Amino acid sequence: MPLICGNPVPYLNGLRDGGNKPGISGPGRIERRSGKFDVADFVTRAGARSPRTFALIQSGMVKHASSQSIQTVASFLTNAPHGHYFCKPDKGRNGVGAFRLTSAADGMMMDEEPASIGAVSQRLSSADYIIQEWMAPLQHPDISRFRAGVINTMRLITFDGGDGAKPVAASLRMAISLKSIDSWSQGGVVAAIDLEHGVLKPFGIMKKGAKIVDAHPGSGIRFRDQSIPHFREALTRACQMHSQLAGPRSLGWDIGLLKDGPCFLESNAPWDVLMSAQFNPDLVPDFLAFLLPPTCETAIHVLLPGTYRNRMSLYMGLSRVLGRAMVSGRVERLTRDRVVLTIGGTRQAVQTALRLFKKTAPNFGAADVKMRPAQNKPAPGFDASGLFAGARVTESAHPE
């Protein structure tokens, strides 16, 4: 049950999603689309660089990026120029389903494994896919030396409260083997970047086993003070583009660092809070201050009578409700047949939390939702320690 600065990760993820849902609007702002094909188009129109897109595959048919012509996947593959391509689901996450495609005179390969046109066509027809240029050969040597042959990317988090986007955290995600991709969730390693100086911090963490390392497991290159090329340009470009978008208050940008400048691969509204916060200790406090009021406008005690046998289900249920409602909370007491918590925030947010509790409470064991006003207001965030400790308040504080 991971906690960051005392806050459950599912709560922070819900808070991220709740903060992005209302969104930002204003003159000149453009509605953001989530597909990778649309992101590449937006980046190019904004004057920044994205990978060259060859095709978008939808419902098993190929739409060429440079024209309106449509053909079958098998026909496209048969006529594709020889070379390397990168294929990924248009609305995928965490690198799931992505692969390197090689087209040569003697056949095709997916991630270095021989494959027939039929097999590749079937894979690309299993979901909406985007086919782009293979960026690894264009990568800056200071980045490729960590793991050559794979594009290692910077994840940059930007916040926009309506007055222009600002960078708040950055990390370098590196692959370990040729068959792995840079994504931390797919088994890579991530090291935080010092925003002020544009260099790597001393330590990184591996996804598998959460092992802390001070050097890349494959190349042996130490992380401390390794310079990130084109760092300032990447930050400036990302903030300029975020400031043009209507909708998301926070975004996670995936940026390739090439020989001639930054290349924007993706922008993610559901960015990975856990990964980005590993070695950026100020990220979560800044995140809470960005999305939650410093003091609660209103606070209530909530009593959830029910049957609680599955602690994990309860942990997830409470975290999701409070996060999506964008309220703060504190668990006061947990017994086998009831949960007592204090929640606070704006009046609208508290009302949203109550509606979500009534809708989802049976999913985590609650049979009813009762409430009354509270005098003591919770601190910003969600203190869930009461799920794992004994009673912390007197019976008089419990609504009945």
Side-chain angles (χ1 to χ4, degrees):
M1 299 183 183
L3 300 173
I4 306 178
C5 298
N7 294 271
V9 171
Y11 169 75
L12 297 172
N13 288 338
L15 193 64
R16 172 203 64 200
D17 297 340
N20 283 341
K21 188 175 293 183
I24 303 167
S25 61
R29 291 204 177 234
I30 305 167
E31 192 65 34
R32 177 184 178 271
R33 297 181 178 179
S34 59
K36 295 174 175 57
F37 183 87
D38 291 320
V39 169
D41 180 67
F42 164 73
V43 169
T44 302
R45 291 176 183 272
R49 181 172 180 177
S50 67
R52 180 184 175 189
T53 299
F54 295 99
L56 172 66
I57 300 173
Q58 293 179 313
S59 301
M61 297 298 292
V62 176
K63 177 182 177 181
H64 290 265
S66 58
S67 70
Q68 295 299 312
S69 62
I70 297 176
Q71 66 182 131
T72 65
V73 178
S75 175
F76 173 82
L77 295 173
T78 300
N79 297 296
H82 295 163
H84 300 295
Y85 303 89
F86 191 63
C87 308
K88 54 187 177 181
D90 186 46
K91 295 187 178 180
R93 292 181 59 186
N94 299 325
V96 176
F99 65 95
R100 178 185 180 185
L101 175 65
T102 302
S103 175
D106 57 351
M108 295 197 142
M109 291 191 295
M110 292 194 298
D111 286 338
E112 311 305 318
E113 296 292 334
S116 66
I117 287 180
V120 178
S121 178
Q122 183 177 12
R123 175 79 173 271
L124 291 173
S125 299
S126 64
D128 290 351
Y129 261 86
I130 184 173
I131 301 177
Q132 295 182 320
E133 65 180 319
W134 179 243
M135 306 298 294
L138 308 177
Q139 193 165 213
H140 196 285
D142 287 352
I143 301 299
S144 63
R145 65 198 183 106
F146 286 103
R147 172 66 267 185
V150 181
I151 187 76
N152 305 297
T153 62
M154 178 170 73
R155 166 60 62 88
L156 173 67
I157 308 301
T158 56
F159 289 173
D160 185 2
D163 55 351
K166 301 175 179 63
V168 293
S171 304
L172 184 65
R173 305 182 304 173
M174 296 154 279
I176 295 176
S177 69
L178 279 175
K179 288 191 176 182
S180 69
I181 59 176
D182 72 316
S183 177
W184 186 57
S185 64
Q186 296 296 307
V189 59
V190 60
I193 300 173
D194 184 317
L195 278 181
E196 182 178 355
H197 300 100
V199 298
L200 290 182
K201 294 182 180 181
F203 300 102
I205 187 167
M206 296 175 63
K207 172 65 174 180
K208 294 182 178 179
K211 181 181 179 181
I212 296 176
V213 292
D214 62 3
H216 188 279
S219 65
I221 298 173
R222 293 192 175 277
F223 298 133
R224 183 189 293 270
D225 293 335
Q226 294 292 333
S227 180
I228 303 300
H230 313 302
F231 183 67
R232 293 299 164 196
E233 181 183 355
L235 265 61
T236 299
R237 288 279 194 180
C239 289
Q240 288 173 344
M241 288 190 287
H242 191 169
S243 298
Q244 295 179 36
L245 293 170
R249 299 185 190 182
S250 63
L251 282 173
W253 300 86
D254 292 344
I255 307 170
L257 301 161
L258 309 185
K259 298 171 185 176
D260 57 355
C263 180
F264 292 82
L265 310 181
E266 297 181 19
S267 72
N268 302 278
W271 50 278
D272 191 331
V273 178
L274 177 60
M275 183 199 78
S276 297
Q278 293 293 306
F279 293 108
N280 290 289
D282 294 332
L283 176 59
V284 168
D286 289 347
F287 187 50
L288 297 176
F290 176 60
L291 290 179
L292 297 172
T295 58
C296 298
E297 179 182 347
T298 187
I300 61 172
H301 291 306
V302 179
L303 170 64
L304 301 171
T307 303
Y308 300 105
R309 296 188 179 92
N310 189 324
R311 192 73 57 98
M312 178 58 75
S313 177
L314 177 61
Y315 167 84
M316 296 293 291
L318 295 178
S319 296
R320 287 170 177 164
V321 167
L322 299 184
R324 290 173 184 172
M326 299 183 68
V327 297
S328 298
R330 181 178 63 244
V331 174
E332 307 288 8
R333 169 172 288 197
L334 168 66
T335 66
R336 292 182 178 181
D337 58 6
R338 74 173 179 175
V339 177
V340 179
L341 64 155
T342 303
I343 66 172
T346 65
R347 293 185 184 279
Q348 181 180 356
V350 169
Q351 289 300 315
T352 299
L354 289 174
R355 286 196 299 270
L356 290 174
F357 273 130
K358 291 175 182 177
K359 182 179 179 180
T360 65
N363 297 337
F364 54 84
D368 196 5
V369 180
K370 300 179 182 180
M371 53 81 66
R372 79 170 188 185
Q375 294 299 317
N376 296 323
K377 299 176 179 179
F382 178 29
D383 178 1
S385 59
L387 291 173
F388 315 105
R392 301 189 307 162
V393 297
T394 63
E395 196 69 23
S396 62
H398 302 155
E400 297 294 351

